[in-house]
Amino acid sequence: MALLARLIGIVLIGTGIYFLGNNIIFTTNVYPYFWRGIAADGSILALIAGVMMLVFLPAREKSWGWIPIIIGVVLVFFSSRAILNPTSLWQFLLSFASMAVGYKLATQGRL
C-alpha cells in the first residue's frame, strides 16, 4: 500500500510540474548583443553544475549546489529567453496543491 501511495505521489508531482511548466516558454531567438548568448550558455552550464553538485557532493557540501542553480535562473532572465505567460489563480492553486500532496505522498507514503 505504501508503494502505491509513493507512486501516486510521484505522478502528482509530475502533473503539477507539467501544468505549471505549460506557461513557461524558452525561445531560441538570436540577439544582436553578444552578452545575451553568453548569458544563455552560462545559465545552462550553471544549472548543470548546480544539479551535479546537489547529486554528487557529500551531504555537508550539498547546499553549495544551490548557488549555481540560482545564478542559472537569474541568467535565464538576463538572456531574455524565458517567457512567462500569465497563469490563472486556479491553475496555480491546483498545480501547487498537486505538487505538495505528491511530495508528501512520495516521501512519507501517507497524507
Side-chain angles (χ1 to χ4, degrees):
M1 189 68 166
L3 179 65
L4 181 63
R6 291 179 194 272
L7 289 175
I8 291 172
I10 292 171
V11 169
L12 284 174
I13 291 171
T15 302
I17 291 171
Y18 172 77
F19 283 120
L20 276 182
N22 277 337
N23 294 321
I24 301 172
I25 300 171
F26 293 99
T27 64
T28 57
N29 294 337
V30 176
Y31 293 101
Y33 309 112
F34 72 92
W35 64 82
R36 292 199 180 184
I38 293 172
D41 297 339
S43 68
I44 292 193
L45 292 175
L47 289 171
I48 290 171
V51 169
M52 297 296 281
M53 289 170 75
L54 285 174
V55 172
F56 292 112
L57 284 179
R60 289 186 329 223
E61 287 88 19
K62 281 190 188 283
S63 60
W64 287 99
W66 290 106
I67 294 171
I69 289 177
I70 292 169
I71 291 171
V73 170
V74 169
L75 286 175
V76 165
F77 291 110
F78 277 144
S79 68
S80 300
R81 293 182 184 230
I83 300 169
L84 303 175
N85 289 332
T87 303
S88 72
L89 182 61
W90 290 111
Q91 184 177 8
F92 178 77
L93 176 72
L94 289 174
S95 297
F96 191 75
S98 174
M99 287 188 289
V101 169
Y103 178 77
K104 179 112 181 206
L105 280 172
T107 57
Q108 297 179 359
R110 59 183 172 84
L111 290 176

